Structure formats: structure tokens, C-alpha cells
Amino acid sequence: MEDLKKISVQKNNDGTELDVFNPTPYKLIGKGLQGAVFKVSDDRCVKVYVDEKYCTMERNALEAGQNSNIVPHMFEVGPNYIVMEYINGESLRDYLEKYTTFPYSMTKRILSLFHQMEKVGYKRIDANLRHIYVVNGGLKVIDHVNSLSINRTAPIKFLKGLRKRRLMGSFLEQVKELDYESYSKWKKALREHYGIEY
């Protein structure tokens, strides 16, 4: 895909945002600090990185998870981009808008997701609510730049996102019932590292 080389992303002067140059017809659908994502077709998107090292880090993480069903499938890798599956689903952040307590069936799926991430070999067993997608009854996670480099065995970002929505308590009560070992580990991490009591 020769036109992908025309897209460039770079950090702005203060390093807090990305400046995107996109002379292609591909629609910008998201950006963070390491790259920007463009929709290429109904089933594919491309992530263009500000630095090749981030591309390598995410490629390695996605390769590790290709035999699972929790990460996007990769189609093509360039020096600073990855063409991958476009996840056509609802983010967990949006999905949870209609709930006042965390859905029990979703707790089971989240626990399964985090256990699968461990099996894949990820060191960061965590994800932002906006990076988890509900797809055909299953869950997929995007944004894996740091999945193999940051060591986090408790899903702190995930739990903080639930806390903002007042769903953390009901979620953790269900985890306590379903997987007491994870519950104890997460509760301890919240208290010791983040001063959050539950």
C-alpha cells in the first residue's frame, strides 16, 4: 500500500499530542501519543507510528497474540505502520453506559480476557475501557505498544475506568466470587500503589 508512506505523524512541540499529515482518503479514527489510526476499508485499518520503535513493540505484541482471539489480526507491517483488522464493535466504555451495576456475564468475559492476556505472555495485564471492544459476544483489545514492556499484573487502568463510572464495587464483588485469587491481588495493588481502598 504505497499511499500509506504519504501519511506522517509526529509529536507536537511540547510532546503532548500528535500532529498528523494525511494526504490520503483514509479517515483518521483515533490517535494517542505513539501513533494515529486510519480506516483503510470495512475490515482493515492502519496504525502509523511516530517512531519505528513503537511499531516494533506493537508488532511483537500482536505477533505474540495472533493465535488467540483477543487481538486484531495483522495483514502487513512496514517500518512505521501496521495494517491490521478493523475491530467493528462497541468499546467497553460505551457498552457500560447503560449499566448501573457491572453485568455479571461481562465479569466472566473480562476475567477470561485477562487470563488469556497472561497466557499470550503479556506483562501488562490491563487495558483502558476504550481499548476493549465487544465483538460478537467476545472481547478484543487494541493498543498493545506496551503489552510486552510494562509489567502490570493488576488491571489498574481498567479498574480506575470502572471507578469513574461507579461500577468498580459491583465488578470486584463479582470477581471475589468468581476468582478470589485475582480479587485479592487486585485489591492489594489498588491499596499499595494507588491509595485506593475497596
Side-chain angles (χ1 to χ4, degrees):
M1 303 183 86
E2 196 61 34
D3 47 354
L4 295 180
K5 295 175 184 172
K6 297 175 185 173
I7 301 173
S8 70
V9 295
Q10 59 186 30
K11 289 189 179 178
N12 66 3
N13 289 338
D14 62 6
T16 59
E17 257 189 66
L18 287 188
D19 291 329
V20 176
F21 175 72
N22 178 21
T24 75
Y26 305 137
K27 179 183 174 187
L28 176 68
I29 57 173
K31 65 178 179 173
L33 287 178
Q34 295 121 349
V37 182
F38 305 86
K39 189 172 180 182
V40 176
S41 68
D42 287 343
D43 64 345
R44 295 184 189 201
C45 62
V46 61
K47 187 168 183 180
V48 180
Y49 299 84
V50 70
D51 191 308
E52 287 183 22
K53 73 177 179 183
Y54 298 131
C55 183
T56 300
M57 290 166 70
E58 187 145 30
R59 183 198 70 222
N60 291 342
L62 289 173
E63 281 177 350
Q66 286 301 283
N67 290 329
S68 75
N69 61 353
I70 62 168
V71 302
H73 178 73
M74 287 193 304
F75 297 105
E76 180 184 336
V77 178
N80 71 327
Y81 69 86
I82 299 175
V83 178
M84 64 185 90
E85 173 188 8
Y86 172 72
I87 306 301
N88 191 9
E90 185 177 21
S91 75
L92 190 58
R93 178 182 63 185
D94 294 340
Y95 176 89
L96 292 172
E97 287 295 320
K98 54 189 171 273
Y99 292 97
T100 55
T101 59
F102 201 88
Y104 190 79
S105 62
M106 183 58 72
T107 299
K108 290 180 176 179
R109 287 189 269 173
I110 292 293
L111 284 168
S112 174
L113 173 72
F114 289 146
H115 290 312
Q116 287 180 70
M117 289 170 80
E118 287 179 320
K119 285 180 188 170
V120 164
Y122 292 159
K123 293 180 180 179
R124 185 186 69 174
I125 311 303
D126 196 1
N128 193 306
L129 293 179
R130 65 190 171 94
H131 292 157
I132 300 173
Y133 279 80
V134 182
V135 185
N136 299 326
L139 299 175
K140 288 200 181 219
V141 185
I142 62 168
D143 196 7
H144 290 281
V145 171
N146 294 307
S147 292
L148 293 172
S149 58
I150 291 178
N151 192 10
R152 185 179 300 144
T153 57
I156 299 302
K157 278 187 178 183
F158 177 82
L159 292 171
K160 283 183 172 181
L162 293 186
R163 188 176 187 218
K164 283 182 188 173
R165 287 158 182 78
R166 299 174 190 236
L167 295 172
M168 187 178 81
S170 59
F171 173 74
L172 285 175
E173 283 301 318
Q174 293 167 22
V175 173
K176 183 178 182 180
E177 175 192 329
L178 293 165
D179 184 349
Y180 191 79
E181 185 180 340
S182 292
Y183 167 80
S184 298
K185 182 169 63 173
W186 298 352
K187 183 179 173 183
K188 182 180 178 187
L190 282 169
R191 183 179 64 248
E192 289 181 357
H193 300 289
Y194 301 93
I196 298 172
E197 285 293 341
Y198 165 74

